[in-house]
């Protein structure tokens, strides 16, 4: 898969989303649809984005018993999205079932991506709240190996984990990296962030960027700056 940048559409509804994309001449750019927008608008938001030529990354992080996730994935696969996520903590059987269901209806080349450790999490949270013994990178690599062995096409991970995941899983295993910032000073609620050039140098395949573009004074220029920084990395 060609390296690309997906713009996170973290808006409350379709009206605001559509207005932002058209006002800033961003029609056709790859976009990520998460829980907030999808749960408000449902499948219609995917259909509308595809009509406007947007490749769509549907990031719902499905996490439930294997049968439930497989049934949900069967429905999502028919939407024609380019990527969709499950959570690795659902386990290998869940990921295998999700992959099998996704393959039945997905468009050619569509990818099943498994989320490892959220970029809002750090070592302290892993140890004190989740009782996971390793550090964030170790746990992310381990979960990536589980995902690969279960049929996933790649994982969502932080930038500083991408290279280790590539080494453990192969260069063909996709690394999707959120937490991309043009300005490292504004992390918001994400703890493990990086610039576009740092992401590319660390082996990221697909970058996900949100507020650095959507909250910029000139969102189109900000998005173009991301592409330029990637190209020069």
């Amino acid at each position: 898969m060609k390296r690309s940048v997906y713009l996170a559409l973290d808006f409350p509804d379709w009206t605001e989303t559509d207005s932002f994309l058209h006002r800033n001449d961003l029609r056709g750019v790859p976009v990520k649809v998460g829980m907030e927008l999808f749960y408000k608008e449902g499948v219609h938001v995917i259909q509308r984005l595809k009509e406007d030529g947007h490749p769509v990354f549907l990031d719902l992080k499905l996490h439930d018993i294997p049968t439930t996730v497989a049934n949900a994935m069967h429905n999502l696969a028919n939407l024609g999205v380019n990527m969709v996520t499950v959570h690795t903590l659902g386990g290998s059987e869940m990921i295998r079932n999700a992959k099998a269901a996704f393959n039945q209806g997905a468009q050619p080349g569509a990818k099943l991506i498994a989320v490892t450790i959220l970029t809002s999490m750090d070592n302290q949270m892993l140890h004190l709240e989740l009782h996971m013994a390793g550090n964030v990178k170790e746990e992310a690599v381990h979960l990536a190996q589980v995902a690969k062995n279960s049929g996933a096409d790649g994982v969502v991970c932080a930038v500083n984990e991408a290279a280790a995941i590539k080494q453990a899983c192969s260069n063909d295993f996709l690394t999707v990296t959120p937490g991309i910032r043009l300005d490292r000073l504004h992390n918001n609620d994400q703890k493990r962030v990086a610039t576009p050039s740092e992401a590319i140098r660390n082996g990221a395949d697909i970058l996900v960027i949100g507020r650095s573009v959507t909250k910029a004074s000139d969102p189109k220029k900000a998005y173009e700056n991301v592409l330029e920084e990637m190209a020069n990395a």
Side-chain angles (χ1 to χ4, degrees), residues 97-120:
N97 286 14
K99 176 66 172 176
F102 187 60
N103 283 348
Q104 290 177 9
Q107 64 182 15
K111 307 297 183 183
L112 179 73
I113 306 297
V115 175
T116 54
I117 304 293
L118 300 176
T119 53
S120 61

Side-chain angles (χ1 to χ4, degrees), residues 158-194:
V159 164
N160 67 343
E161 297 143 17
I165 287 171
K166 289 281 190 182
Q167 184 174 9
C169 296
S170 82
N171 285 330
D172 294 332
F173 193 63
L174 295 175
T175 50
V176 180
T177 57
I180 301 300
R181 295 285 186 271
L182 287 170
D183 180 357
R184 268 179 159 273
L185 296 177
H186 297 90
N187 291 0
N188 301 108
D189 56 351
Q190 292 177 312
K191 297 181 174 66
R192 289 150 37 236
V193 302

